[in-house]
Amino acid sequence: MFRDRIGFIVWINDVKAARNLEKYGHLHYISRRLHYAVLYAYAEQEEELAKTLMRLPYVRKVERSYRNEIRTEYNHNVPDQTRFYTF
């Protein structure tokens, strides 16, 4: 039903020119202070999109975001220690 999406961290030289990244995917965030942008696109376009972005004159570096690969489900094997903190 939903297509897999992947995130890119695009390091940029010019913040105003970074607004043009909207035509390559969903532009989520632009950091004016650190000069990077977060861009989401479909996973099947990953390699060709990275090459296309590197050809742009205002792009310094393109990194893939590993946010969707981080484990977010935790198991609770630690015993409950709330009884030690009550009076």
Side-chain angles (χ1 to χ4, degrees), residues 8-52:
F8 289 100
I9 310 301
V10 183
W11 297 93
I12 53 178
N13 293 327
D14 187 13
V15 176
K16 281 188 177 182
R19 285 187 241 154
N20 293 329
L21 292 174
E22 289 180 348
K23 58 181 141 184
Y24 298 104
H26 176 75
L27 186 60
H28 182 71
Y29 178 73
I30 297 176
S31 172
R32 297 186 185 283
R33 188 173 63 109
L34 296 177
H35 294 283
Y36 73 91
V38 178
L39 178 77
Y40 286 96
Y42 294 119
E44 60 264 6
Q45 301 172 348
E46 176 184 359
E47 294 175 12
E48 62 194 37
L49 184 61
K51 290 177 186 177
T52 305

